[in-house]
Amino acid sequence: RVVVCNPRTSAKAQKLADEFKCASSVDISALADVSVLICTLPPAAKYEAPAEIIAQKPVVFEACYLPPVTPLGIQAAKAKCKVVKGLDMLIAQGIEQFELWIGVSAWMCWIPSRRRQGKCTTKLI
């Protein structure tokens, strides 16, 4: 089950939920069985999740990458939640895009021995 929550603008949350045919909630603190929390709020929001959610030990995806440490990331790490930082997400996204656009494994092209063996013929540099 997917639930969209925007603590700043509930109307935007509802619009997004309608678009993706999922639920919307003004207050996520009452939700049970939260396994993943994705935060796309800007760092200026200084967002921290309700304690009831963090106590469920969700995987926390913090989409912003500057600053690399946010109040939500600190809160989740202190609670021993797995935290995926924005920079990690950005790098993974770039790798996937490279492979979609170029048509070869990004990892194979960056390993010098694979290039020498002719496993990757794409010139990157």
Side-chain angles (χ1 to χ4, degrees), residues 54-77:
I54 293 298
Q56 296 177 51
K57 304 285 188 238
V59 174
V60 176
F61 284 84
E62 178 61 273
C64 78
Y65 46 90
L66 287 176
V69 179
T70 64
L72 175 61
I74 293 168
Q75 176 195 29

Side-chain angles (χ1 to χ4, degrees), residues 83-110:
V83 178
V84 179
K85 296 182 178 185
L87 185 58
D88 296 331
M89 293 171 72
L90 181 67
I91 291 168
Q93 189 176 20
I95 290 167
E96 287 295 319
Q97 288 171 337
F98 175 90
E99 292 177 355
L100 284 171
W101 295 337
I102 305 300
V104 295
S105 167
W107 296 114
M108 289 300 115
C109 287
W110 286 106

Side-chain angles (χ1 to χ4, degrees), residues 17-124:
D18 291 345
E19 184 177 334
F20 287 95
K21 296 177 180 35
C22 61
S24 173
S25 176
V26 174
D27 179 20
I28 65 169
S29 62
L31 296 176
D33 300 324
V34 175
S35 57
V36 177
L37 173 64
I38 302 170
C39 182
T40 61
L41 293 170
K46 296 184 178 14
Y47 179 74
E48 287 189 359
E52 299 87 351
I53 298 299
I54 293 298
Q56 296 177 51
K57 304 285 188 238
V59 174
V60 176
F61 284 84
E62 178 61 273
C64 78
Y65 46 90
L66 287 176
V69 179
T70 64
L72 175 61
I74 293 168
Q75 176 195 29
K78 281 183 182 176
K80 306 283 191 252
C81 297
K82 179 178 170 91
V83 178
V84 179
K85 296 182 178 185
L87 185 58
D88 296 331
M89 293 171 72
L90 181 67
I91 291 168
Q93 189 176 20
I95 290 167
E96 287 295 319
Q97 288 171 337
F98 175 90
E99 292 177 355
L100 284 171
W101 295 337
I102 305 300
V104 295
S105 167
W107 296 114
M108 289 300 115
C109 287
W110 286 106
I111 301 171
S113 63
R114 300 294 287 186
R115 287 198 308 264
R116 283 193 297 273
Q117 294 170 5
K119 302 286 185 189
C120 178
T121 57
T122 302
K123 185 171 178 152
L124 301 176

